[in-house]
Amino acid sequence: GDWRGVAISLVNLNVAYYKKGELDEALKIMTEAKELCLKYDFKYVIIYVYNGLCELNLKLNKPDEALKNAQLALKVSLEIKTKDGEGMSYLNLGMAYLDMDDLDRSEENLQISRGILEELEHNQLSDLYYFMGLLSVKKKNNSLATDHFNRSKEGYSKMGDQQNIDKVQKELDKLEK
């Protein structure tokens, strides 16, 4: 059968559960996808799986597990030389380090991600700018945070992503106070 197609469908299904906040179900689905990818050696798909597991574990307050998955995603991305995989993996490493309050390592990884994603004009740039904004807030650089949040909001607006526009607006409102 088309197990690669099944793995990709599981990744997409995970996104739906993730967006609805059903994280345990999303985790179960991603674990299934991971097993399929490892069994059949779907290197490209597993990058998405590891990065998805990173984001899930961050939401579940398991930063160590998140970091481990982002590192695995990066390892495979470098191995098969996929730029978008690298860009997403560095972004997730930056998110994990930010979550752990390791601001220098967060910034280092977010900057590497930025270089790659801007070159690719990648659709995850809005996410990147959002996390660069959060990092800037933690570093007490509110004017830079505002710039990053505005770039993020602009990207989400182009995609018509109201949920994320609202999320960014909340951060901008906090900065106004």
Side-chain angles (χ1 to χ4, degrees):
D2 178 18
W3 290 111
R4 190 171 185 274
V6 172
I8 292 168
S9 298
L10 287 170
V11 172
N12 292 332
L13 190 59
N14 146 72
V15 173
Y17 280 106
Y18 180 86
K19 282 188 171 164
K20 287 198 309 194
E22 294 180 31
L23 303 182
D24 293 334
E25 196 56 36
L27 192 58
K28 218 165 32 185
I29 290 165
M30 281 308 252
T31 305
E32 222 175 296
K34 181 172 100 174
E35 285 164 11
L36 262 182
C37 288
L38 290 171
K39 182 176 176 182
Y40 294 103
D41 204 28
F42 300 139
K43 291 216 186 305
Y44 190 76
V45 183
I46 205 161
I47 295 166
Y48 283 87
V49 172
Y50 285 140
N51 276 317
L53 284 167
C54 169
E55 291 170 35
L56 269 170
N57 280 298
L58 284 176
K59 279 260 194 247
L60 294 164
N61 293 317
K62 297 180 190 165
D64 295 341
E65 200 56 36
L67 186 64
K68 195 173 78 183
N69 279 291
Q71 288 166 335
L72 287 167
L74 181 62
K75 185 173 168 270
V76 178
S77 298
L78 292 167
E79 191 183 306
I80 67 169
K81 297 177 175 54
T82 164
K83 276 292 182 198
D84 71 325
E86 285 176 44
M88 291 187 308
S89 302
Y90 282 116
L91 168 57
N92 280 332
L93 282 168
M95 286 161 49
Y97 284 124
L98 182 64
D99 200 64
M100 299 165 139
D101 279 321
D102 188 339
L103 303 187
D104 291 339
R105 282 170 105 170
S106 174
E107 183 161 27
E108 185 187 321
N109 283 283
L110 291 176
Q111 289 297 357
I112 296 170
S113 175
R114 183 182 188 169
I116 297 168
L117 295 181
E118 284 183 348
E119 189 187 326
L120 296 174
E121 295 180 4
H122 201 279
N123 64 357
Q124 272 200 294
L125 274 169
S126 306
D127 299 332
L128 173 77
Y129 295 135
Y130 174 73
F131 285 102
M132 290 184 86
L134 295 179
L135 174 69
S136 299
V137 169
K138 282 193 177 189
K139 290 187 127 185
K140 310 271 185 268
N141 188 339
N142 287 359
S143 68
L144 189 58
T146 302
D147 287 348
H148 287 312
F149 287 139
N150 281 325
R151 291 183 85 165
S152 175
K153 193 174 151 186
E154 192 184 315
Y156 288 133
S157 297
K158 281 182 189 155
M159 292 186 258
D161 185 343
Q162 195 56 50
Q163 200 177 355
N164 276 319
I165 293 169
D166 295 343
K167 177 180 80 173
V168 177
Q169 190 56 54
K170 268 192 194 121
E171 295 300 327
L172 283 165
D173 292 344
K174 283 186 212 168
L175 292 173
E176 293 297 302
K177 286 173 183 155

